[in-house]
Amino acid sequence: MSDFTSYTYLPVDDFDPFAGPALTRFLPTTPPQIEIWTACQLGGAEASRAFNESLTLMLDGPLDQSVFVKAWTDLVQRHEALRTTFSPNGQFMCVSEELTVPLTTHDLRQAETTAQAETIAGLTRQEAHHLFELETGPLVRASLIQQSATCWQFIICAHHII
């Protein structure tokens, strides 16, 4: 069913899309997103976590953290999907005008190689198992890990619904 008009929208008496942060868009959820939202509601936290998608990028070379953080902030502001949340009944996407998605930084330069590997594995696992709140967001997270002066890892995790 790709026709939005064929859906019966569930009422949510206490949902006011204009009560929270300023929105740039308020539009119907797509049928695949409704399926994901429903699975998350019925299956609980573990079902929702199953839709997390995590990616780690290895960066080699000098990196200016302040510029990287600004680039991440600009990226979030440029892409509506990264600022999207969902109505309590899952029928609508709410795209915030502004949404802060912090870039968490970790400096592991002083740690031994084994400790670095264990810490990175733990951080990667933690990101991949994060429980995203579909109604309040953000539905994406990011971390930047510094291993040495020229060795970095960028971890980004997003819920598949966006």
Side-chain angles (χ1 to χ4, degrees), residues 67-79 82-83:
V67 172
F68 196 88
V69 170
K70 179 167 180 357
W72 170 250
T73 302
D74 290 349
L75 182 78
V76 170
Q77 292 312 309
R78 188 174 305 121
H79 294 281
L82 302 179
R83 299 188 321 271

Side-chain angles (χ1 to χ4, degrees), residues 44-49 52 126-134 138-139 141 159:
E46 291 308 311
S48 186
R49 285 183 181 108
N52 287 1
Q126 178 182 339
E127 291 297 324
H129 289 96
H130 177 74
L131 180 59
F132 289 104
E133 298 295 333
L134 301 181
L139 301 180
R141 294 169 52 96
H159 198 281

Side-chain angles (χ1 to χ4, degrees), residues 78-145:
R78 188 174 305 121
H79 294 281
E80 290 181 341
L82 302 179
R83 299 188 321 271
T84 298
T85 57
F86 291 82
S87 64
N89 66 358
Q91 300 293 320
F92 296 97
M93 291 183 282
C94 306
V95 180
S96 296
E97 192 172 298
E98 289 188 31
L99 182 66
T100 301
V101 181
L103 175 65
T104 307
T105 58
H106 305 274
D107 187 346
L108 303 181
R109 288 178 290 181
Q110 302 304 316
E112 296 177 9
T113 305
T114 305
Q116 277 187 359
E118 290 172 1
T119 301
I120 292 168
L123 289 169
T124 303
R125 195 170 32 259
Q126 178 182 339
E127 291 297 324
H129 289 96
H130 177 74
L131 180 59
F132 289 104
E133 298 295 333
L134 301 181
E135 289 179 37
T136 58
L139 301 180
V140 62
R141 294 169 52 96
S143 295
L144 182 64
I145 303 167

